[in-house]
Amino acid sequence: MFSRRPALSLFFFFFTEQYDVVGPRDPVLVIAGEDVILPCSVKPSTSVVDMRVEWFRPDLKDSQLVHLYDDHVDKNTDQIQSYIGRTKLNHQELQRGDASLILSSVRVSDEGLYKCFIQSKYQYDDTTVNVSVEAVGRPPVITVDGFDHLGGLHLQCESEGWYPEPDIEWLNSEGVSLRSETTETHRDEDGFSVKQTITVHHRDDKIHCRVKLKHHVLETQIITTSKRFSSWRTSIILISVFAVLSVTAGILIAVFAPKNRVNVILDADTAHPQLIVSRDGKQVRYGNTQTKGNGKDRFDKFLGVLGKDGFSSGCFYFEVQVKGQTEWDLGVTRQSVKRKDVIHQIPENGYWIVGWRYGKYQARDSLAHSFSLSVDPQRVGVFVDYEKGLVCFYDVKSMSQIYSFTNQCFNGKLCPFVGLGYLKNENFTPLIICDDY
């Protein structure tokens, strides 16, 4: 294993410029299957191109190697096998003192402590990054498991693929927790599976089964009826519930879009230096050339740009064409949102966005998590109700809902936001603000 504490000349130690290696104060939370950036940089900002950068796991036996950069190249021959092909440093960012590790396709086994060790010729320092992994399991499934002698309906709810161990509960239509009868939990290589049973004696009610972690919740409901229960009727009712949700999304687009549409013009002064905004402010694409200057209002790592006008009341709606683009984000942000360095694009930080990255649809609600769509949207509508704390995303063609942020608390002006990923996008297809609706 590589030596991480060399003997240093005291003379050079005290008479060369000193630096500190810094990382995040809080644990880095990530969903299994997503990519994550583990922040690590030197302060004051100093190029680490000529230094040794080593990432390793101090919580594993022999503090095994995760990634090594030395003599201007990556040297990963002694890398832990499970990390092969999943780690990289951004060599351009090393010039700015940023040695953050990009870890792709995060696994449950990646949870733990990571040490970022940076060594120059006469100095060294390190910082520890705590990574916490959550795996969101499959949506819970409710099945009818017969009746008791009093005519009560036995229901069983089960779900699998969670990490860490989730909580499971039943609730009635008023959100009151119902007493369960049995709970089973099992752990395997795919995570935790849970199963819980309950007997329902009342009729004409909606019964919910909810499985939840600290930051994520999945829920399924079943509608009981005073007529005779049967598994086939339950299935029909469940399908009807989800169909109503899709129809409602279509109605919202048809009713609110014409009335509340706004003329979104992108503000080129906020765009990442490698984004090219059209003269009319209606299109943005990634470019090979970089705009001179990195003003205080520009994004410098995320390829983002804001709309010129902000809104602090009422409802507004706009549409963005994403057809042909392989990496995109859109939604709304606070006008005063942080735009420099690595940003967790979550509501707590003033971001309400969804996107398509790494072949997956993602919503960043406290933590990024993935969801699937039956059809890839070509044009996405964004509807905001400021007073109700609502941000809804729709597939315009099918008039179906993609995702919604509800019960949010907005503070200050909200601006439309579009983005093309992080640091680089090799697809030059533009995102287009649409006015033809």
Side-chain angles (χ1 to χ4, degrees), residues 330-331 352-354 380-382 391-394 400-403 405:
L330 59 89
W352 292 268
I353 61 176
V354 299
V380 177
V382 183
V391 183
C392 293
F393 299 84
Y394 308 103
S400 60
Q401 182 170 310
I402 295 175
Y403 193 82
F405 295 91

Side-chain angles (χ1 to χ4, degrees), residues 2-3 48-55 65 67-76 89 91 94 117-121:
F2 301 94
S3 172
V48 297
V49 170
D50 298 325
M51 301 185 192
R52 175 192 181 96
V53 178
E54 183 176 352
W55 282 88
L65 181 69
H67 193 99
L68 175 64
Y69 169 89
D70 196 18
D71 293 332
H72 304 99
V73 295
D74 296 311
K75 298 181 178 180
N76 289 322
L89 303 177
H91 288 202
L94 294 177
F117 173 83
I118 300 179
Q119 175 189 337
S120 64
K121 189 174 182 180

Side-chain angles (χ1 to χ4, degrees), residues 57-338:
R57 292 284 303 271
D59 55 345
L60 298 182
K61 185 178 180 181
D62 299 325
S63 298
Q64 298 182 58
L65 181 69
V66 174
H67 193 99
L68 175 64
Y69 169 89
D70 196 18
D71 293 332
H72 304 99
V73 295
D74 296 311
K75 298 181 178 180
N76 289 322
T77 54
D78 293 326
Q79 186 180 36
I80 300 173
Q81 186 174 4
S82 63
Y83 289 94
I84 293 176
R86 296 198 297 126
T87 64
K88 65 178 180 179
L89 303 177
N90 188 311
H91 288 202
Q92 290 182 335
E93 293 301 307
L94 294 177
Q95 300 174 7
R96 302 180 178 90
D98 187 346
S100 299
L101 181 72
I102 302 172
L103 178 60
S104 61
S105 302
V106 170
R107 306 169 182 175
V108 170
S109 60
D110 294 334
E111 183 173 83
L113 300 179
Y114 290 73
K115 188 80 74 174
C116 175
F117 173 83
I118 300 179
Q119 175 189 337
S120 64
K121 189 174 182 180
Y122 304 113
Q123 185 188 348
Y124 62 80
D125 194 18
D126 60 45
T127 189
T128 300
V129 181
N130 186 2
V131 176
S132 179
V133 178
E134 286 191 359
V136 179
R138 296 175 179 83
V141 175
I142 300 175
T143 56
V144 178
D145 196 26
F147 304 86
D148 66 9
H149 65 285
L150 297 176
L153 182 67
H154 292 305
L155 300 178
Q156 177 177 281
C157 179
E158 56 186 324
S159 182
E160 59 185 13
W162 295 82
Y163 184 85
E165 182 178 346
D167 294 322
I168 181 171
E169 62 178 340
W170 295 89
L171 304 100
N172 64 15
S173 58
E174 297 177 351
V176 177
S177 182
L178 303 176
R179 184 176 179 179
S180 62
E181 296 169 353
T182 62
T183 302
E184 300 178 20
T185 304
H186 299 285
R187 170 77 186 275
D188 57 27
E189 60 182 12
D190 294 326
F192 288 90
S193 60
V194 291
K195 182 188 299 185
Q196 195 173 82
T197 60
I198 191 173
T199 300
V200 178
H201 290 92
H202 47 86
R203 304 291 191 266
D204 299 318
D205 199 1
K206 295 179 182 179
I207 306 298
H208 303 257
C209 176
R210 178 179 296 171
V211 184
K212 60 182 180 179
L213 296 173
K214 183 177 181 180
H215 297 95
H216 292 87
V217 176
L218 291 180
E219 182 176 295
T220 299
Q221 73 175 20
I222 184 172
I223 301 177
T224 62
T225 174
S226 57
K227 298 180 180 180
R228 180 178 176 179
F229 293 111
S230 64
S231 58
W232 66 265
R233 180 176 179 83
T234 302
S235 299
I236 292 174
I237 293 173
L238 284 174
I239 293 172
S240 299
V241 170
F242 289 106
V244 168
L245 291 177
S246 295
V247 171
T248 302
I251 293 172
L252 284 174
I253 294 176
V255 173
F256 289 110
K259 181 179 179 181
N260 299 289
R261 64 183 181 182
V262 293
N263 181 26
V264 174
I265 299 176
L266 300 177
D267 186 354
D269 292 336
T270 66
H272 185 281
Q274 287 188 270
L275 291 184
I276 299 173
V277 178
S278 62
R279 289 186 178 181
D280 63 359
K282 294 296 184 180
Q283 299 187 27
V284 59
R285 65 176 178 86
Y286 184 79
N288 285 323
T289 59
Q290 183 164 321
T291 303
K292 292 184 179 180
N294 190 16
K296 64 182 180 64
D297 294 330
R298 291 189 182 277
F299 291 89
D300 67 348
K301 286 187 170 58
F302 282 96
L303 304 174
V305 57
L306 298 181
K308 282 189 175 182
D309 297 322
F311 305 87
S312 56
S313 63
C315 301
F316 62 94
Y317 176 85
F318 63 97
E319 294 179 3
V320 181
Q321 179 177 302
V322 298
K323 181 180 180 181
Q325 181 51 247
T326 51
E327 191 167 359
W328 53 266
D329 300 290
L330 59 89
V332 293
T333 74
R334 282 198 294 264
Q335 192 175 54
S336 60
V337 77
K338 177 183 176 182

